[in-house]
Amino acid sequence: MAFKMNGSPAKMGTIQGTAGHSSALKMKMEKDSAAKMKKEAAMKMKMESAAKMKKESAMKAAKPDYPDIDGDGNTTESMKQAASDKKSGVKMKKPSPNKVLRDGSNLTKKSEDNIKKSTKSDPYAKALKKDPKLASYIKERGKHKPGSDAYEAQQAKINAAYGKTRSSKLKAAQIKNQAKKDAATTKPDVKAIDKGQKITAKADVKKAELTENVTRKLAKNEMKSAKRMKGKDSKEFLQAKKEFLQAKEDDRQGKEGGKRQGLFRKLSSNINKRRQARLDKKLKEKSES
């Protein structure tokens, strides 16, 4: 009696060797081929659907609007509907506000009232209509100070155009503000004054320093001349030397306003005083002999 096996021998692993291997490869190839075909079919359907939608969109965009038979400005309604609206006497579309403003002949009564109202609410426009020279009055007024005759004359013309009188409080406030501005402009520049004073003081110091140096040099020349003419032990030389030491001390101390010696000034001054004391002693001895 024959025995029948359920299932594929390749799947059950009953076929071994080369035959079993070939059967497995064949099944795998068939499976891959089926999957590829399914994928390609899905891609084709997707591309066809996209092309169809694009075509419908282009046809819809190219479709012309319906003619405006009833004159209501609606070009999307069908000709049948438009003809029906025209026959039944449906109200036509109102013109846009922009069109009304562009075309003066189409101005409604409400628009005219709004324009008149805006003109009425502008005081300058009303005053300019009353006196066309208003702008020139304002320009001329700006050239003068509040409170001056020229300013008040132009202000009176401006007030007449506006139909108003000059406010005394406003006038007083304008004059006060102008006085503050004038005071601010006439206030002395402290920095400029300080700078000028510094420059002047520096020049005075240089001038005094020059005077002290000249006096000292002249005294030195007199001392040398007395030594050469009268001798080292002469009374004239001793007196000239004393005057030179005094001029030197004056220069050191800045007696005329020049620069004072900075380093060792006190020490040098003490040495100079001792020298002068010795000269006084010698001069006294010369006078007594």
Side-chain angles (χ1 to χ4, degrees):
M1 181 176 177
F3 180 75
K4 187 177 181 181
M5 293 181 65
N6 293 326
S8 172
K11 287 183 179 180
M12 294 177 68
T14 56
I15 300 176
Q16 296 180 357
T18 307
H21 183 68
S22 298
S23 179
L25 286 174
K26 187 177 180 181
M27 288 177 67
K28 187 176 183 306
M29 287 175 67
E30 289 175 354
K31 189 177 179 181
D32 293 343
S33 178
K36 188 177 180 182
M37 287 176 69
K38 188 177 179 181
K39 189 176 180 182
E40 287 177 353
M43 184 66 71
K44 187 177 180 181
M45 287 178 66
K46 190 175 180 181
M47 289 175 69
E48 287 176 354
S49 177
K52 187 177 179 182
M53 288 177 67
K54 188 175 181 181
K55 187 177 180 181
E56 288 176 355
S57 177
M59 288 176 68
K60 189 176 180 181
K63 186 178 178 180
D65 293 335
Y66 293 107
D68 188 13
I69 296 173
D70 54 354
D72 62 352
N74 187 0
T75 58
T76 58
E77 63 181 349
S78 65
M79 293 175 67
K80 185 178 179 180
Q81 182 66 37
S84 176
D85 291 345
K86 186 177 181 181
K87 189 175 181 180
S88 61
V90 176
K91 227 178 215 184
M92 292 178 69
K93 189 178 179 182
K94 292 181 180 179
S96 67
N98 292 335
K99 188 176 180 182
V100 170
L101 292 174
R102 285 195 299 269
D103 188 358
S105 61
N106 291 332
L107 283 172
T108 61
K109 189 175 184 302
K110 190 175 180 181
S111 299
E112 290 176 355
D113 292 342
N114 288 337
I115 292 170
K116 287 178 181 178
K117 188 177 180 182
S118 64
T119 307
K120 189 177 180 180
S121 62
D122 187 359
Y124 179 80
K126 190 176 178 181
L128 187 63
K129 188 176 180 181
K130 186 176 181 181
D131 191 344
K133 294 183 179 180
L134 179 61
S136 63
Y137 300 154
I138 296 172
K139 185 178 180 180
E140 184 63 27
R141 181 188 64 178
K143 297 177 182 178
H144 308 285
K145 295 180 180 180
S148 64
D149 294 339
Y151 183 95
E152 295 303 326
Q154 298 301 323
Q155 186 63 53
K157 294 177 183 178
I158 294 168
N159 288 341
Y162 278 93
K164 295 181 180 180
T165 55
R166 179 82 157 125
S167 171
S168 57
K169 289 184 178 180
L170 179 60
K171 181 180 178 180
Q174 288 175 340
I175 293 171
K176 188 177 179 180
N177 289 336
Q178 186 62 46
K180 285 182 179 179
K181 288 180 181 179
D182 293 342
T185 52
T186 55
K187 190 176 180 180
D189 190 349
V190 178
K191 289 183 179 180
I193 292 171
D194 290 344
K195 189 176 181 180
Q197 288 176 347
K198 286 179 181 179
I199 293 171
T200 305
K202 195 173 182 180
D204 291 341
V205 169
K206 286 184 177 181
K207 187 178 179 181
E209 184 69 23
L210 181 63
T211 303
E212 291 167 359
N213 289 339
V214 169
T215 303
R216 179 170 53 82
K217 286 179 180 179
L218 288 173
K220 189 175 182 179
N221 290 336
E222 288 290 332
M223 181 186 69
K224 287 181 178 180
S225 179
K227 183 180 179 181
R228 187 173 60 254
M229 298 292 292
K230 300 293 183 178
K232 187 176 180 181
D233 294 329
S234 65
K235 186 179 178 181
E236 290 81 5
F237 169 73
L238 294 174
Q239 187 62 40
K241 188 175 181 180
K242 183 183 176 182
E243 289 176 359
F244 167 67
L245 291 174
Q246 186 59 48
K248 197 174 181 181
E249 181 63 20
D250 292 343
D251 185 25
R252 183 181 293 113
Q253 299 295 341
K255 185 179 179 181
E256 298 295 331
K259 289 183 179 180
R260 300 173 69 185
Q261 182 181 339
L263 192 63
F264 305 122
R265 177 167 47 93
K266 190 174 182 180
L267 179 62
S268 300
S269 182
N270 290 333
I271 294 170
N272 190 293
K273 285 177 181 179
R274 287 197 293 270
R275 286 178 180 174
Q276 287 188 56
R278 286 198 297 268
L279 286 172
D280 285 336
K281 186 178 180 181
K282 286 182 179 181
L283 283 170
K284 188 177 181 181
E285 290 174 355
K286 289 281 182 182
S287 297
E288 288 176 356
S289 60

